[in-house]
C-alpha cells in the first residue's frame, strides 16, 4: 500500500488513531514507514488490527524506527533478547505494567517508543489506557508552565523494581530481576520538547520520577502529586480494547500508559519491543 493511502481513523480527541489496511509482517517501503512514523508523532499512539507477526517480524518492524532496547531487569526471549514477553497466568495476582508510567524513563537515554502485540487475549478485560502528556501540558496555567520550565525530574528504577515494587513481583511466566540498590538516577526535564513535532509535554510519571532535582523528596511531593493527578485526567486519555493480532505503538516521549488488571483467572500474553533513540554521534577527537 502506498503511504499516501494509509487509512487513519482517530479514536479520541486527545490522542490515538487506528491505522488499517497494512500487513506489518512484510517488507514495508521507506515511504510507508515514514508515514507510520508521522502518524505516531501526530497521534502519539497508533493501533493496528488483524496482524500475524512472529517475534522476528516484530523485531524487524521495530528496527525500522530505531535500535531496539534490551530491558535491564526483564529477561527477553532466548532467541530474541529484544522481545519482552509480558504474560499474566490465570494464577498470577499482579500484572506487569499495572500503573500509570512511561516506559524506560529510568534510563540515561530513555526509549522513544514501545510496540506491543497481542498474542493471547482474555475473553474480557485487559484493556490498556493511554494518556497524552502533551495535552496535559497544554492544559496547565501559564504561571505553572513558567514555574516548570528549567526544572528537572530525577528518575530511577529503584523503587518500582525493588523487592516491594510492583514490577519486580514474581510471576509464573516472567523472569524479573530486582534493581534495588543497583539502578542509577537520571535527570530529565519536567517539560520535554518533542524532537520531531516541537510540541511540549510533561515528562514525569508516578512509577519512575522520584523527586525534583535540587529539592528534597518532601518538597517534591506536593508538586509531583499534583502533576500525576492532573496528567491522568480523563479528557487526556484513550482506551484500547485488545484482540488477538492487535498491535499498539506509542510514543514514550509524550504518552503514559496503564495495563488494566481486570481479567481474573484468565491468561494474557503480549510481546513488546521498545525503540531506543539513535546513538549519539561524537565529534572526532571529543573526550570519551
Amino acid at each position: 500500500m502506498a503511504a499516501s493511502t494509509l487509512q487513519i481513523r482517530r479514536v479520541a480527541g486527545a490522542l490515538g488513531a487506528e491505522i488499517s489496511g497494512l500487513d506489518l509482517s512484510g517488507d514495508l517501503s521507506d515511504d510507508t514507514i515514514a508515514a507510520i512514523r508521522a502518524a505516531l508523532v501526530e497521534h502519539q499512539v497508533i493501533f493496528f488490527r488483524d496482524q500475524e507477526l512472529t517475534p522476528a517480524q516484530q523485531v524487524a518492524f521495530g528496527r525500522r524506527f530505531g535500535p531496539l532496547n534490551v530491558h535491564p531487569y526483564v529477561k527477553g526471549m532466548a532467541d530474541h533478547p529484544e522481545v519482552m514477553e509480558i504474560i499474566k497466568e490465570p494464577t498470577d495476582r499482579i500484572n506487569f505494567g499495572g500503573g500509570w508510567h512511561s516506559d524506560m524513563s529510568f534510563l540515561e537515554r530513555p526509549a522513544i517508543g514501545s510496540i506491543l502485540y497481542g498474542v493471547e487475549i482474555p475473553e474480557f478485560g485487559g484493556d490498556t489506557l493511554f494518556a497524552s502528556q502533551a495535552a496535559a501540558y497544554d492544559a496547565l496555567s501559564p504561571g505553572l508552565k513558567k514555574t516548570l520550565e528549567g526544572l528537572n525530574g530525577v528518575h530511577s528504577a529503584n523503587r518500582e523494581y525493588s523487592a516491594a515494587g510492583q514490577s519486580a513481583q514474581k510471576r509464573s511466566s516472567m523472569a524479573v530481576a530486582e534493581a534495588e540498590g543497583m539502578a542509577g538516577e537520571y535527570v530529565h526535564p519536567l517539560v520535554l520538547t518533542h524532537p520531531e513535532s516541537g510540541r511540549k509535554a510533561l515528562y514525569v510519571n508516578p512509577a519512575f520520577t522520584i523527586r525534583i532535582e535540587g529539592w528534597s523528596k518532601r518538597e517534591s511531593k506536593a508538586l509531583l502529586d499534583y502533576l500525576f493527578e492532573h496528567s491522568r485526567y480523563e479528557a487526556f486519555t484513550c482506551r484500547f480494547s485488545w484482540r488477538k493480532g492487535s498491535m499498539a505503538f506509542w510514543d514514550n516521549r509524550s504518552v503514559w500508559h496503564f495495563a488494566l488488571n481486570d481479567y481474573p483467572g484468565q491468561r494474557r500474553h503480549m510481546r513488546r519491543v521498545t525503540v531506543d533513540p539513535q546513538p549519539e554521534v561524537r565529534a572526532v577527537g571529543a573526550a570519551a
Side-chain angles (χ1 to χ4, degrees):
M1 171 178 286
S4 60
T5 59
L6 284 184
Q7 300 169 40
I8 301 176
R9 180 183 65 85
R10 291 181 63 176
V11 301
L15 78 169
E18 187 168 312
I19 298 178
S20 58
L22 277 180
D23 178 2
L24 302 181
S25 67
D27 185 15
L28 301 175
S29 70
D30 290 343
D31 285 348
T32 298
I33 292 296
I36 294 172
R37 189 178 193 111
L40 174 70
V41 171
E42 179 180 357
H43 299 288
Q44 302 172 78
V45 57
I46 51 178
F47 308 109
F48 305 86
R49 299 286 192 185
D50 304 319
Q51 302 296 316
E52 294 186 12
L53 295 176
T54 65
Q57 289 168 333
Q58 188 175 353
V59 166
F61 176 75
R63 282 182 175 152
R64 299 294 298 275
F65 299 92
L68 297 185
N69 175 274
V70 176
H71 200 286
Y73 307 115
V74 183
K75 186 176 181 180
M77 298 181 71
D79 296 336
H80 301 284
E82 313 94 332
V83 179
M84 181 196 303
E85 293 196 280
I86 301 173
I87 301 172
K88 181 175 183 285
E89 298 289 2
T91 55
D92 289 337
R93 184 176 62 87
I94 299 174
N95 69 333
F96 188 84
W100 285 113
H101 65 287
S102 175
D103 286 336
M104 318 304 284
S105 77
F106 56 80
L107 297 179
E108 183 177 8
R109 301 186 71 228
I112 66 172
S114 298
I115 303 171
L116 188 66
Y117 175 73
V119 179
E120 184 176 347
I121 307 301
E123 183 179 347
F124 60 82
D127 293 357
T128 302
L129 307 178
F130 298 90
S132 170
Q133 299 308 289
Y137 174 81
D138 289 345
L140 296 175
S141 68
L144 185 50
K145 288 178 180 177
K146 185 176 181 180
T147 297
L148 297 179
E149 293 289 347
L151 292 179
N152 296 314
V154 180
H155 296 242
S156 177
N158 268 334
R159 180 176 58 199
E160 186 69 14
Y161 284 91
S162 70
Q166 175 165 310
S167 292
Q169 296 305 299
K170 303 303 179 186
R171 298 171 180 86
S172 303
S173 299
M174 294 183 67
V176 181
E178 293 177 9
E180 191 169 21
M182 297 186 297
E185 295 183 350
Y186 297 101
V187 174
H188 306 301
L190 263 60
V191 177
L192 186 70
T193 299
H194 197 287
E196 296 178 65
S197 71
R199 190 178 181 187
K200 292 183 176 181
L202 290 175
Y203 195 69
V204 295
N205 69 89
F208 303 123
T209 309
I210 58 175
R211 66 181 183 277
I212 297 170
E213 184 185 34
W215 297 23
S216 69
K217 287 186 176 180
R218 183 179 180 184
E219 291 168 337
S220 303
K221 187 177 188 304
L223 178 54
L224 288 179
D225 283 352
Y226 174 79
L227 294 176
F228 296 157
E229 180 69 23
H230 169 78
S231 295
R232 58 176 181 258
Y233 175 54
E234 289 85 348
F236 307 150
T237 69
C238 70
R239 179 170 180 150
F240 188 58
S241 295
W242 292 92
R243 300 196 298 259
K244 179 180 172 63
S246 297
M247 192 161 78
F249 186 178
W250 62 89
D251 193 326
N252 284 302
R253 297 165 292 189
S254 60
V255 174
W256 283 4
H257 62 285
F258 187 139
L260 294 178
N261 185 16
D262 57 350
Y263 48 100
Q266 300 184 77
R267 190 175 197 267
R268 185 178 185 266
H269 179 186
M270 317 295 282
R271 289 201 310 256
R272 192 184 93 188
V273 297
T274 306
V275 182
D276 276 346
Q278 293 289 347
E280 292 181 336
V281 178
R282 294 184 181 274
V284 176

